[in-house]
Amino acid sequence: MEQPVTAGRAGRPPGTAREAPDALGALDALVAADLTARVTLDEQGRVTGWNAGAERLLGHPAGQMLGRRAADLLAEPIPVRGGMPALAGLPRWSGDVALRHRDGRRLTVRILAHHRTPATGARAWLVVSALSDPGPRPAPDESLVHWSFAQSPCCAQAIYDTRLRLRRANADMERSTALTEEEMRGLRVSEIIDDAAGERAERSMARVLRTGQPQYDENQLRAPGEDHEHAWSVFTSALRDEEGTIRGVCLSAHDMTEQFWARRRLQLIAEAGRRIGSTLDVTRTAQELADVTVPALADFAGVDLLAGLDEVPEPPVRALPVNGPLRLRRVALRSVTPGAPEAVMAAGEAASYPAGSAPFESLRTGRPTVREATDPALAAWFAHDPARAARMRAFGVHSVLTVPLAARGTTLGVVFLLRYRNPDPFRHDDLVLAGELAARAAVSIDNARRYTRERATAVTLQRSLLPRRLPRQAAVEVASRYLPAGGHAGVGGDWFDVIPLSGARVALVVGDVVGHGLHASATMGRLRTAVRTLADIDLPCDELLTHLDDLVARLDTEEGDGDPGGTSADVGATCLYAVYDPVSRRCCLAGAGHPLPAVLRPGGTVDLVALPAAPPLGVGGLPYEATEVELPEGSLLALYTNGLVATRDRDIDAGVHRLREALARPADSLDALCDRVLTELLPQRPADDVALLVARTRALDADQVATWDVPCDPSAVARARKDVVAQLERWGLSDAVFVTELIVSELVTNAIRHAEPPVRLRLIHDTTLICEVSDGGSTAPHLRRARSHDEGGRGLLLVARLTERWGTRQSATGKTIWAEQTLTLP
């Protein structure tokens, strides 16, 4: 036996001993590599490696043996049942071989040959043989001690000397390696087990010799002839004599396969709970299921959903067809092979499955189905699908598992799991695990499907409430964008509108309702309708927001009263309302807790319009104030909601700065400008809704507007008619003379008779002809039906019948009655 090795410092706890940097590099010196004859052969049996131990055994130096046929060294054929072809198919072989020494002597040598497949893909043989017995067999021990070691039922044990050469192995160790003690005697662990696990065990044993501290490892091994891997917990500890000197190393390996796989299953289920359902997106959730199962459970996973689930509305519950076929659509897949070449269907493609096929049977029975490559049912299915059969054969698929996806009584689809690289077929534990993963994923997929349906409904509702096309008007050129949220938040309550007003003016409005979903969309629709109604009566900007604030407060109260708990529903909104007059080129703006609008002036500078601070709608308690600014012709006014400038990764000030930069650069059109703003400011999946409205101002020339001050004398009506007729002739609007004379006569007469001075008449010639009469009174006329004996009361009825629209608007100094005619284009 080799010289004993003295232990390291006594009393040091495990794992605290320091190893020299070259400790692992000294392993070869420790084990005396030349005590083993090691030879490597290529697949043709030619020598590719020859160590000093092989030279000691047979006398041939390495330089003479490299490249030679190993068969030339045989004194007689190897006694292999079935001959050499059978040997070539074995993963490992051991036995006695008759060899010829260089001097002609015949030697009988016991060898162990490993048939290895390195990562390069080139197969080779590793042949090892212990040159000599490390020492005499121990004297007969006490019988019970001997039997206790040899027949120990609790673990596989082996004893190694200080050269890490095997001396003894019990029955469990022989079974775990599929080798007898005699076949392993004198060999190293890495020579008995040609695997990385053997090398790790050998390094741990070397650390035991250096430090005296026990070591612990875990590994997985498949012994020759076994159909599945075993998991082992391996303990290595020092064997000391009475004086504390290390005389050898004991290796104990406990089979923990069941515990290992149970732990792996629990870890996979926990990982599935963490990864599956991270979003409310059907496709992404299905992909998360495929990603979790490969490679932990299968070599390929495909998630197929019923083609009927593509419908956005809730599909009716249909029974599965009795005789097939069943149509499924592939929504996700994953493979251990890059590109998933074994997949018959790509993502997005659909296929029909006949009755008797694995997916059909899984959905019909509601249970997982396993098919082996030799299963007649699988062969019958493939007979109707030769393309699938060819793909399965090409990749060597040997086991197919299909698991139904169902949640809340709704059948959703099926999960395909294949194995071809993993040699183990699917077992009962795999079915249970796959069923658990599928059940978790099905709930998440159903949640995503329901969310997608509800979100689509909300988007449809919101888009139906938003203007489908912006109305024609002459005051501004407009473009808009609305982008629903792309994340968990769902559809919000952002809206915008363009409302033509009297006097060629236009109202621009942008708002944002608190919250998301159908409730926010419905509230947005009510507020938009209210804004249009209030704008139609020409309320000033600040008064309009005050009325809108009262409405939101009432909605909040109504929602709270309808709640069984009596709590407030927190209905709230922000809003920005602007009115632009192309005649005066002035714009009146008022905001309620909304982001400030941006103005790009013709000179190229972009500024924010400073509005008085005001609370959002529904808060109440503070008045709203309006601000009036002059906008030269060609100015660009940008109104937007908070989602455009404030994101999770950027505060609102940084977003406004980027918005100003995007607006300042020239664009081919307003639509191109909107697209650029969205691209530069928003992430791919915005977390909040976004509404953007941009308007380029126009101005009416002085010759398109005519104004007269009218004396408060009934005789002035005739003069007003003459002035209007002359102006219409200058504009080339002779066809409008008759109707306009009637309108002017009626409106001016009413102002002189029933109102207060000053009275002013104004004509605006644009795409329409607008006639306005202003006075200092605050009483508005009312349209009524005159009775047959009444002498008056028919004037406004004539005005209403002869014009496209008419109305009254109040001002700080009085009121204005207006009437608008449609002009006949030449």
Side-chain angles (χ1 to χ4, degrees), residues 32-355:
D34 58 355
L35 291 180
T36 303
R38 295 171 61 96
V39 178
T40 56
L41 310 175
D42 63 16
E43 200 67 0
Q44 287 72 41
R46 296 189 179 276
V47 177
T48 59
W50 187 273
N51 77 337
E55 182 176 354
R56 286 179 53 194
L57 178 66
L58 297 177
H60 297 281
Q64 295 179 0
M65 289 305 301
L66 294 179
R68 289 184 55 184
R69 295 173 62 249
D72 296 340
L73 300 174
L74 295 176
E76 61 183 51
I78 298 177
V80 179
R81 181 178 299 177
M84 293 301 292
L87 177 62
L90 295 176
R92 188 179 68 185
W93 182 85
S94 65
D96 293 335
V97 177
L99 300 176
R100 187 71 64 186
H101 193 273
R102 183 182 182 186
D103 60 9
R105 288 182 291 121
R106 184 179 183 278
L107 302 175
T108 299
V109 179
R110 177 166 295 275
I111 69 170
L112 176 60
H114 300 279
H115 204 177
R116 55 168 52 168
T117 305
T120 58
R123 298 181 66 85
W125 285 91
L126 169 65
V127 183
V128 296
S129 177
L131 291 184
S132 62
D133 196 330
R137 290 179 179 273
D141 298 316
E142 195 177 323
S143 297
L144 288 177
V145 175
H146 173 74
W147 295 335
S148 173
F149 172 79
Q151 302 173 22
S152 174
C154 61
C155 64
Q157 285 187 314
I159 296 175
Y160 293 82
D161 59 25
T162 53
R163 291 293 187 179
L164 302 186
R165 303 286 171 164
L166 185 135
R167 293 289 302 273
R168 295 297 306 275
N170 70 351
D172 274 3
M173 181 62 75
E174 290 179 328
R175 282 192 294 270
S176 67
T177 59
L179 293 169
T180 66
E181 182 184 81
E182 289 299 322
E183 292 170 330
M184 295 184 288
R185 188 173 173 79
L187 295 177
R188 299 160 52 185
V189 180
S190 60
E191 296 168 342
I192 297 170
I193 302 173
D194 186 33
D195 186 88
E199 297 176 358
R200 288 196 301 270
E202 197 167 77
R203 288 195 293 269
S204 294
M205 294 165 68
R207 282 193 291 271
V208 169
L209 290 178
R210 286 193 302 275
T211 67
Q213 303 300 324
Q215 304 292 319
Y216 175 78
D217 292 301
E218 292 185 4
N219 56 51
Q220 294 82 47
L221 288 174
R222 183 195 303 271
E226 290 186 330
D227 59 355
H228 66 281
E229 282 188 340
H230 284 263
W232 298 91
S233 59
V234 181
F235 295 86
T236 52
S237 57
L239 297 177
R240 305 171 187 270
D241 60 16
E242 295 82 356
E243 290 147 358
T245 303
I246 296 177
R247 297 293 182 174
V249 178
C250 178
L251 183 148
S252 301
H254 297 261
D255 191 342
M256 48 174 287
T257 304
E258 292 300 324
Q259 299 92 322
F260 173 80
W261 287 112
R263 187 173 62 190
R264 287 283 297 271
R265 287 191 290 269
L266 288 175
Q267 289 174 345
L268 187 58
I269 291 174
E271 183 181 6
R274 178 177 57 84
R275 295 177 56 184
I276 298 176
S278 63
T279 65
L280 289 172
D281 181 88
V282 172
T283 301
R284 186 167 178 180
T285 303
Q287 187 61 54
E288 289 166 347
L289 171 60
D291 293 342
V292 166
T293 55
V294 177
L297 182 61
D299 297 325
F300 172 83
V303 182
D304 296 354
L305 299 183
L306 293 174
L309 296 178
D310 293 342
E311 306 168 11
V312 172
E314 178 69 30
V317 178
R318 305 185 183 95
L320 294 176
V322 178
N323 299 317
L326 181 66
R327 191 163 181 81
L328 298 172
R329 184 177 302 281
R330 174 69 46 84
V331 294
L333 71 163
R334 180 68 183 271
S335 171
V336 294
T337 306
E342 71 272 41
V344 180
M345 289 192 303
E349 294 182 354
S352 296
Y353 295 90

Side-chain angles (χ1 to χ4, degrees), residues 781-793:
H782 297 281
L783 182 65
R784 65 181 180 86
R785 183 175 297 278
R787 294 186 293 271
S788 59
H789 59 274
D790 288 345
E791 296 182 359

Side-chain angles (χ1 to χ4, degrees), residues 358-568:
F360 185 94
E361 292 303 312
S362 284
L363 292 181
R364 184 182 64 82
T365 62
R367 296 190 299 271
T369 300
V370 176
R371 296 282 188 268
E372 305 300 329
T374 56
D375 195 319
L378 201 62
W381 173 26
F382 286 170
H384 297 87
D385 195 344
R388 187 182 299 272
R391 196 71 59 89
M392 296 294 181
R393 287 193 299 269
F395 283 87
V397 174
H398 61 82
S399 193
V400 178
L401 171 60
T402 53
V403 189
L405 288 169
R408 303 182 180 95
T410 302
T411 300
L412 303 174
V414 68
V415 182
F416 273 102
L417 300 176
L418 308 178
R419 281 185 178 176
Y420 58 89
R421 184 175 296 179
N422 185 339
D424 296 337
F426 288 112
R427 301 177 183 276
H428 175 72
D429 289 345
D430 298 321
L431 267 67
V432 174
L433 177 58
E436 177 68 21
L437 296 178
R440 288 171 176 263
V443 173
S444 297
I445 290 174
D446 189 54
N447 288 340
R449 182 180 65 88
R450 291 171 182 268
Y451 165 78
T452 300
R453 186 177 67 251
E454 180 178 342
R455 184 175 185 275
T457 303
V459 169
T460 302
L461 172 62
Q462 188 171 31
R463 291 192 183 278
S464 68
L465 296 174
L466 291 173
R468 296 187 179 182
R469 55 179 179 271
L470 299 179
R472 293 180 59 187
Q473 41 74 44
V476 292
E477 175 191 1
V478 293
S480 62
R481 291 293 185 272
Y482 167 72
L483 191 63
H488 297 284
V491 177
D494 292 18
W495 93 92
F496 63 90
D497 211 344
V498 178
I499 308 171
L501 301 177
S502 62
R505 297 169 305 138
V506 64
L508 306 173
V509 58
V510 170
D512 185 359
V513 174
V514 173
H516 296 86
L518 289 172
H519 181 267
S521 296
T523 302
M524 177 272 288
R526 299 173 76 173
L527 294 184
R528 178 172 178 260
T529 301
V531 170
R532 294 189 71 90
T533 302
L534 295 172
D536 190 57
I537 60 176
D538 268 320
L539 284 181
C541 297
D542 49 354
E543 291 187 29
L544 183 142
L545 289 184
T546 299
H547 284 282
L548 204 60
D549 178 63
D550 293 339
L551 172 63
V552 173
R554 287 197 300 272
L555 290 177
D556 192 16
T557 303
E558 292 172 5
E559 294 291 342
D561 292 342
D563 184 19
T567 59
S568 173

Side-chain angles (χ1 to χ4, degrees), residues 470 477-481 667-678 692 694 696:
L470 299 179
E477 175 191 1
V478 293
S480 62
R481 291 293 185 272
D668 295 336
S669 65
L670 293 186
D671 284 322
L673 178 62
C674 289
D675 292 337
R676 182 172 69 200
V677 168
L678 296 185
L692 173 65
V694 295
R696 178 172 286 124

